[in-house]
Amino acid sequence: MNKRILIPTDFSKNALNAVRYAIDLYAKLHCDFYFLNVFSVESYTNTNLLMPDEDSEVFIRAKEKSEKNFLKLLESLAAHGDNFKHNFFTISTCSFLSEAIKKIIGEKDIELVVMGTHGASGSRGSLMGSNTVMAMEKIRECPVMAIPSEYSFFPPTEIVFPTDYKDAFKRTELRYLMEIAKMHEANIAVLHLNMSKELTQIQEDNKKLLHAILGEVAHDFHVLAKRNLAKGIQSFVEERNSDIIAFINHKHFFFSSVFTKPLVKAIGYDSTIPILALH
């Protein structure tokens, strides 16, 4: 069965870059790519309704504009190169982005969401950037990958996986991390966020469990002793020229305490390499 990947787009240069990255990252696999554009009706002013009537002239014009932009996108991808393993589908809808994403995840059994980190304006905190942060924080149905603006694809050789070993690992949570590593023969650099000098017995057990799950996938273990975790992770990535940061979004602990909201925003807006939020 084909892998099913959802890519929201506002037809900006940054969104196109995310599309191309996803296509290149999964070049070896049979994939169905669903491109989603959530369009707005600028002249719609009826405050009594959340959405315009689908038969209205303004709605029809807005949808036609979205569909024309999709034709241009598909032409651009055709010029980029054809891969017989890939199928492309387009979805134009007038909705709230978060609702549209979750709806399509359910209807199409989506396995991965890929987004650019900036929107059409390309500015920090722009719509696509804030939506990317929202997706990494709130979408729990499948992994979310954020692609930095103008980041050029090349096969990843190292994926950094920060962890504190305080939660037991599940094979299902690590499936996409291992899949990418296997596809590109990349090493997984497990980075321990060291908050104390020694691991507890629970942490030791979880580390052994992680080692067993990763199995034959190339991986090694490192320790980060710096108190500022955000800067420490960034320094580690820069020093080793790593290609992707992957982390498990444990809502109850890891994501909320280690990847605090300011850091999530820094990742969403300013990361220099792709970020993969696992669930």
Side-chain angles (χ1 to χ4, degrees):
M1 189 173 182
N2 290 0
K3 176 169 287 296
R4 294 164 300 285
I5 299 173
L6 173 62
I7 310 179
T9 178
D10 57 4
F11 305 114
S12 65
K13 178 181 177 182
N14 297 316
L16 175 59
N17 187 64
V19 170
R20 288 177 171 170
Y21 181 93
I23 289 172
D24 288 339
L25 183 67
Y26 284 93
K28 298 178 182 178
L29 295 188
H30 290 269
C31 298
D32 291 337
F33 291 94
Y34 292 87
F35 303 131
L36 167 68
N37 175 242
V38 176
F39 61 86
S40 61
V41 180
E42 296 178 359
S43 60
Y44 183 68
T45 58
N46 188 338
T47 57
N48 296 322
L49 297 174
L50 292 176
M51 296 295 172
D53 188 274
E54 294 186 6
D55 295 326
S56 66
E57 185 178 349
V58 290
F59 182 94
I60 293 172
R61 285 203 305 266
K63 186 172 183 179
E64 287 177 348
K65 181 179 178 181
S66 174
E67 291 171 346
K68 287 179 180 179
N69 282 327
F70 268 134
L71 290 177
K72 294 178 182 179
L73 171 61
L74 295 178
E75 289 174 358
S76 175
L77 295 181
H80 183 62
D82 188 30
N83 186 336
F84 75 93
K85 295 181 180 180
H86 292 171
N87 301 310
F88 301 141
F89 304 91
T90 63
I91 302 170
S92 296
T93 184
C94 184
S95 178
F96 298 105
L97 181 61
S98 59
E99 293 181 4
I101 289 175
K102 291 189 176 185
K103 183 173 183 288
I104 296 169
I105 288 175
E107 290 179 349
K108 305 298 182 182
D109 193 22
I110 296 296
E111 300 174 79
L112 174 69
V113 175
V114 180
M115 303 177 71
T117 57
H118 294 78
S121 68
S123 63
R124 178 186 177 91
S126 61
L127 180 60
M128 184 62 74
S130 60
N131 283 327
T132 305
V133 172
M134 173 279 298
M136 287 193 293
E137 289 179 333
K138 296 183 178 180
I139 292 178
R140 322 279 316 166
E141 293 83 358
C142 69
V144 177
M145 177 173 275
I147 312 301
S149 172
E150 299 182 3
Y151 183 85
S152 298
F153 174 83
F154 53 89
T157 58
E158 180 173 87
I159 305 171
V160 177
F161 179 64
T163 179
D164 56 13
Y165 298 126
K166 290 187 177 181
D167 289 283
F169 298 98
K170 298 178 182 178
R171 191 176 299 273
T172 53
E173 293 175 324
L174 298 168
R175 181 157 58 101
Y176 293 100
L177 169 62
M178 296 170 65
E179 178 182 86
I180 293 172
K182 288 179 180 178
M183 277 194 303
H184 299 283
E185 299 181 352
N187 179 66
I188 299 174
V190 180
L191 182 60
H192 173 216
L193 307 175
N194 187 21
M195 305 300 288
S196 60
K197 292 183 179 181
E198 296 182 359
L199 296 179
T200 65
Q201 186 59 53
I202 291 177
Q203 288 175 307
E204 288 283 4
D205 292 342
N206 289 334
K207 182 178 179 180
K208 292 178 181 178
L209 175 60
L210 176 61
H211 177 61
I213 292 174
L214 294 180
E216 297 179 357
V217 177
H219 63 281
D220 49 23
F221 295 89
H222 306 266
V223 176
L224 175 65
K226 294 184 180 180
R227 299 188 67 84
N228 188 311
L229 298 178
K231 291 182 179 179
I233 293 170
Q234 292 171 355
S235 297
F236 184 86
V237 167
E238 290 172 1
E239 289 172 3
R240 297 173 62 87
N241 197 28
S242 305
D243 305 296
I244 297 174
I245 297 175
F247 62 93
I248 297 176
N249 182 355
H250 280 151
K251 186 176 182 180
H252 67 281
F253 178 79
F254 187 76
F255 195 69
S256 60
S257 61
V258 176
F259 283 89
T260 58
K261 196 166 186 180
L263 180 54
V264 171
K265 289 184 175 180
I267 289 173
Y269 297 139
D270 295 333
S271 177
T272 56
I273 65 173
I275 306 294
L276 176 64
L278 303 164
H279 304 284

